Amino acid sequence: MGIGHNIKLLLDGKGIKQKDFAEMIGESTVNVSRYLKEQRGIPENLYPIISKTLNISIDDFFENKTIKSKFIPLIGKSSCGKPKDYDLNGYEPVPVPADMYKEGMYAVEADGDSMSPKINDGDYVYCQPNRIIDNGNIVHYWLNGESGIKKYKMNEAGTIISLIPINSDYDVITIHHDEKHELIMARVVGKIDRDF
């Protein structure tokens, strides 16, 4: 018994019909039926989608195939435009490749196009706190409670931080060291399905 059989058992246990599962993963019902009967192999590009849809670990479920993943919390949306105050609670976990995984990682969903074409509206980005942030790195930040994604730059004197959009239609956010502010940053280290 292989992967298709295991998925069928899991679907049965969760009460999910094959037709509904096919819609969830963007496949035809005929193909899903063949995958579950193990008449056809499951394409590897579907593993992360199946993993997220069924909230399972690829490591555990796919019997140590070459694609491996861990799960990290998706904590909410983050502005790629004007910073906003978002509710950063209650989202589903998302898979991250096992070789990229670090303790404490989390993901946010980009909201807007200020970081386009590198990060587009709706993209999930992986964030790693407690990692050194150098000029030019992309960061997820909280500035006075508002969540955003921008490129980080500090001036030579170490007195001004600039949070810079890639899309020039948006303004640079400038923070002077003598201003009262609360700034927390985590380095963006990747995006679902593509490393930076």
PDB file of all heavy atoms in Angstrom, residues 29-44:
ATOM      1  N   THR A  29     -11.539  14.974 -10.984  1.00  0.00           N
ATOM      2  CA  THR A  29     -11.987  13.834 -10.183  1.00  0.00           C
ATOM      3  C   THR A  29     -11.403  12.537 -10.731  1.00  0.00           C
ATOM      4  O   THR A  29     -11.043  11.638  -9.973  1.00  0.00           O
ATOM      5  CB  THR A  29     -13.531  13.762 -10.169  1.00  0.00           C
ATOM      6  OG1 THR A  29     -14.045  15.022  -9.746  1.00  0.00           O
ATOM      7  CG2 THR A  29     -14.038  12.695  -9.227  1.00  0.00           C
ATOM      8  N   VAL A  30     -11.275  12.441 -12.066  1.00  0.00           N
ATOM      9  CA  VAL A  30     -10.713  11.242 -12.698  1.00  0.00           C
ATOM     10  C   VAL A  30      -9.263  11.043 -12.243  1.00  0.00           C
ATOM     11  O   VAL A  30      -8.868   9.934 -11.868  1.00  0.00           O
ATOM     12  CB  VAL A  30     -10.799  11.346 -14.242  1.00  0.00           C
ATOM     13  CG1 VAL A  30     -10.039  10.218 -14.911  1.00  0.00           C
ATOM     14  CG2 VAL A  30     -12.249  11.340 -14.697  1.00  0.00           C
ATOM     15  N   ASN A  31      -8.461  12.109 -12.278  1.00  0.00           N
ATOM     16  CA  ASN A  31      -7.064  11.988 -11.852  1.00  0.00           C
ATOM     17  C   ASN A  31      -6.966  11.602 -10.383  1.00  0.00           C
ATOM     18  O   ASN A  31      -6.167  10.735 -10.010  1.00  0.00           O
ATOM     19  CB  ASN A  31      -6.292  13.280 -12.099  1.00  0.00           C
ATOM     20  CG  ASN A  31      -5.849  13.411 -13.533  1.00  0.00           C
ATOM     21  OD1 ASN A  31      -5.865  12.457 -14.290  1.00  0.00           O
ATOM     22  ND2 ASN A  31      -5.458  14.611 -13.918  1.00  0.00           N
ATOM     23  N   VAL A  32      -7.774  12.235  -9.532  1.00  0.00           N
ATOM     24  CA  VAL A  32      -7.734  11.924  -8.101  1.00  0.00           C
ATOM     25  C   VAL A  32      -8.092  10.464  -7.881  1.00  0.00           C
ATOM     26  O   VAL A  32      -7.452   9.769  -7.091  1.00  0.00           O
ATOM     27  CB  VAL A  32      -8.645  12.866  -7.286  1.00  0.00           C
ATOM     28  CG1 VAL A  32      -8.875  12.334  -5.875  1.00  0.00           C
ATOM     29  CG2 VAL A  32      -8.042  14.265  -7.231  1.00  0.00           C
ATOM     30  N   SER A  33      -9.096   9.985  -8.577  1.00  0.00           N
ATOM     31  CA  SER A  33      -9.475   8.573  -8.459  1.00  0.00           C
ATOM     32  C   SER A  33      -8.300   7.666  -8.823  1.00  0.00           C
ATOM     33  O   SER A  33      -8.015   6.685  -8.121  1.00  0.00           O
ATOM     34  CB  SER A  33     -10.674   8.279  -9.364  1.00  0.00           C
ATOM     35  OG  SER A  33     -10.988   6.909  -9.317  1.00  0.00           O
ATOM     36  N   ARG A  34      -7.584   8.008  -9.884  1.00  0.00           N
ATOM     37  CA  ARG A  34      -6.418   7.202 -10.290  1.00  0.00           C
ATOM     38  C   ARG A  34      -5.292   7.269  -9.257  1.00  0.00           C
ATOM     39  O   ARG A  34      -4.630   6.271  -9.011  1.00  0.00           O
ATOM     40  CB  ARG A  34      -5.911   7.676 -11.653  1.00  0.00           C
ATOM     41  CG  ARG A  34      -6.855   7.317 -12.774  1.00  0.00           C
ATOM     42  CD  ARG A  34      -6.382   7.854 -14.103  1.00  0.00           C
ATOM     43  NE  ARG A  34      -7.324   7.483 -15.160  1.00  0.00           N
ATOM     44  CZ  ARG A  34      -7.454   8.142 -16.289  1.00  0.00           C
ATOM     45  NH1 ARG A  34      -6.710   9.210 -16.534  1.00  0.00           N
ATOM     46  NH2 ARG A  34      -8.333   7.749 -17.192  1.00  0.00           N
ATOM     47  N   TYR A  35      -5.087   8.458  -8.674  1.00  0.00           N
ATOM     48  CA  TYR A  35      -4.050   8.592  -7.644  1.00  0.00           C
ATOM     49  C   TYR A  35      -4.381   7.715  -6.439  1.00  0.00           C
ATOM     50  O   TYR A  35      -3.516   7.024  -5.905  1.00  0.00           O
ATOM     51  CB  TYR A  35      -3.918  10.040  -7.158  1.00  0.00           C
ATOM     52  CG  TYR A  35      -3.555  11.063  -8.205  1.00  0.00           C
ATOM     53  CD1 TYR A  35      -3.954  12.383  -8.044  1.00  0.00           C
ATOM     54  CD2 TYR A  35      -2.818  10.736  -9.342  1.00  0.00           C
ATOM     55  CE1 TYR A  35      -3.629  13.344  -8.995  1.00  0.00           C
ATOM     56  CE2 TYR A  35      -2.494  11.694 -10.287  1.00  0.00           C
ATOM     57  CZ  TYR A  35      -2.904  12.998 -10.117  1.00  0.00           C
ATOM     58  OH  TYR A  35      -2.584  13.948 -11.043  1.00  0.00           O
ATOM     59  N   LEU A  36      -5.658   7.763  -6.016  1.00  0.00           N
ATOM     60  CA  LEU A  36      -6.053   7.022  -4.812  1.00  0.00           C
ATOM     61  C   LEU A  36      -6.053   5.515  -5.031  1.00  0.00           C
ATOM     62  O   LEU A  36      -5.807   4.754  -4.099  1.00  0.00           O
ATOM     63  CB  LEU A  36      -7.420   7.507  -4.320  1.00  0.00           C
ATOM     64  CG  LEU A  36      -7.512   8.994  -3.942  1.00  0.00           C
ATOM     65  CD1 LEU A  36      -8.894   9.324  -3.392  1.00  0.00           C
ATOM     66  CD2 LEU A  36      -6.441   9.413  -2.959  1.00  0.00           C
ATOM     67  N   LYS A  37      -6.328   5.087  -6.270  1.00  0.00           N
ATOM     68  CA  LYS A  37      -6.275   3.659  -6.598  1.00  0.00           C
ATOM     69  C   LYS A  37      -4.853   3.231  -6.961  1.00  0.00           C
ATOM     70  O   LYS A  37      -4.622   2.067  -7.280  1.00  0.00           O
ATOM     71  CB  LYS A  37      -7.219   3.349  -7.764  1.00  0.00           C
ATOM     72  CG  LYS A  37      -8.679   3.485  -7.418  1.00  0.00           C
ATOM     73  CD  LYS A  37      -9.539   3.236  -8.642  1.00  0.00           C
ATOM     74  CE  LYS A  37     -11.006   3.447  -8.324  1.00  0.00           C
ATOM     75  NZ  LYS A  37     -11.842   3.334  -9.542  1.00  0.00           N
ATOM     76  N   GLU A  38      -3.933   4.197  -6.959  1.00  0.00           N
ATOM     77  CA  GLU A  38      -2.519   3.974  -7.285  1.00  0.00           C
ATOM     78  C   GLU A  38      -2.335   3.435  -8.700  1.00  0.00           C
ATOM     79  O   GLU A  38      -1.435   2.665  -8.980  1.00  0.00           O
ATOM     80  CB  GLU A  38      -1.843   3.107  -6.218  1.00  0.00           C
ATOM     81  CG  GLU A  38      -1.904   3.782  -4.872  1.00  0.00           C
ATOM     82  CD  GLU A  38      -1.242   3.015  -3.746  1.00  0.00           C
ATOM     83  OE1 GLU A  38      -0.839   1.863  -3.930  1.00  0.00           O
ATOM     84  OE2 GLU A  38      -1.124   3.608  -2.663  1.00  0.00           O
ATOM     85  N   GLN A  39      -3.226   3.898  -9.592  1.00  0.00           N
ATOM     86  CA  GLN A  39      -3.089   3.582 -11.010  1.00  0.00           C
ATOM     87  C   GLN A  39      -2.159   4.588 -11.689  1.00  0.00           C
ATOM     88  O   GLN A  39      -1.707   4.362 -12.795  1.00  0.00           O
ATOM     89  CB  GLN A  39      -4.465   3.600 -11.696  1.00  0.00           C
ATOM     90  CG  GLN A  39      -5.400   2.531 -11.190  1.00  0.00           C
ATOM     91  CD  GLN A  39      -6.822   2.725 -11.696  1.00  0.00           C
ATOM     92  OE1 GLN A  39      -7.207   3.812 -12.114  1.00  0.00           O
ATOM     93  NE2 GLN A  39      -7.600   1.652 -11.649  1.00  0.00           N
ATOM     94  N   ARG A  40      -1.944   5.710 -11.025  1.00  0.00           N
ATOM     95  CA  ARG A  40      -1.067   6.759 -11.535  1.00  0.00           C
ATOM     96  C   ARG A  40      -0.368   7.406 -10.345  1.00  0.00           C
ATOM     97  O   ARG A  40      -0.969   7.595  -9.293  1.00  0.00           O
ATOM     98  CB  ARG A  40      -1.884   7.806 -12.288  1.00  0.00           C
ATOM     99  CG  ARG A  40      -1.051   8.958 -12.812  1.00  0.00           C
ATOM    100  CD  ARG A  40      -1.876  10.008 -13.502  1.00  0.00           C
ATOM    101  NE  ARG A  40      -2.390   9.508 -14.771  1.00  0.00           N
ATOM    102  CZ  ARG A  40      -3.256  10.156 -15.521  1.00  0.00           C
ATOM    103  NH1 ARG A  40      -3.706  11.332 -15.122  1.00  0.00           N
ATOM    104  NH2 ARG A  40      -3.676   9.659 -16.659  1.00  0.00           N
ATOM    105  N   GLY A  41       0.916   7.732 -10.516  1.00  0.00           N
ATOM    106  CA  GLY A  41       1.651   8.388  -9.444  1.00  0.00           C
ATOM    107  C   GLY A  41       1.204   9.831  -9.249  1.00  0.00           C
ATOM    108  O   GLY A  41       0.815  10.506 -10.210  1.00  0.00           O
ATOM    109  N   ILE A  42       1.263  10.294  -8.022  1.00  0.00           N
ATOM    110  CA  ILE A  42       0.899  11.672  -7.724  1.00  0.00           C
ATOM    111  C   ILE A  42       2.057  12.578  -8.124  1.00  0.00           C
ATOM    112  O   ILE A  42       3.190  12.368  -7.679  1.00  0.00           O
ATOM    113  CB  ILE A  42       0.582  11.841  -6.219  1.00  0.00           C
ATOM    114  CG1 ILE A  42      -0.600  10.950  -5.824  1.00  0.00           C
ATOM    115  CG2 ILE A  42       0.297  13.306  -5.884  1.00  0.00           C
ATOM    116  CD1 ILE A  42      -0.859  10.882  -4.345  1.00  0.00           C
ATOM    117  N   PRO A  43       1.805  13.606  -8.957  1.00  0.00           N
ATOM    118  CA  PRO A  43       2.885  14.535  -9.321  1.00  0.00           C
ATOM    119  C   PRO A  43       3.443  15.238  -8.082  1.00  0.00           C
ATOM    120  O   PRO A  43       2.685  15.648  -7.192  1.00  0.00           O
ATOM    121  CB  PRO A  43       2.195  15.542 -10.254  1.00  0.00           C
ATOM    122  CG  PRO A  43       0.937  14.891 -10.696  1.00  0.00           C
ATOM    123  CD  PRO A  43       0.544  13.945  -9.597  1.00  0.00           C
ATOM    124  N   GLU A  44       4.773  15.354  -8.009  1.00  0.00           N
ATOM    125  CA  GLU A  44       5.403  15.924  -6.815  1.00  0.00           C
ATOM    126  C   GLU A  44       4.992  17.359  -6.545  1.00  0.00           C
ATOM    127  O   GLU A  44       4.987  17.796  -5.400  1.00  0.00           O
ATOM    128  CB  GLU A  44       6.927  15.806  -6.906  1.00  0.00           C
ATOM    129  CG  GLU A  44       7.393  14.378  -6.755  1.00  0.00           C
ATOM    130  CD  GLU A  44       8.887  14.256  -6.546  1.00  0.00           C
ATOM    131  OE1 GLU A  44       9.606  15.265  -6.619  1.00  0.00           O
ATOM    132  OE2 GLU A  44       9.330  13.127  -6.293  1.00  0.00           O
TER     133      GLU A  44
END
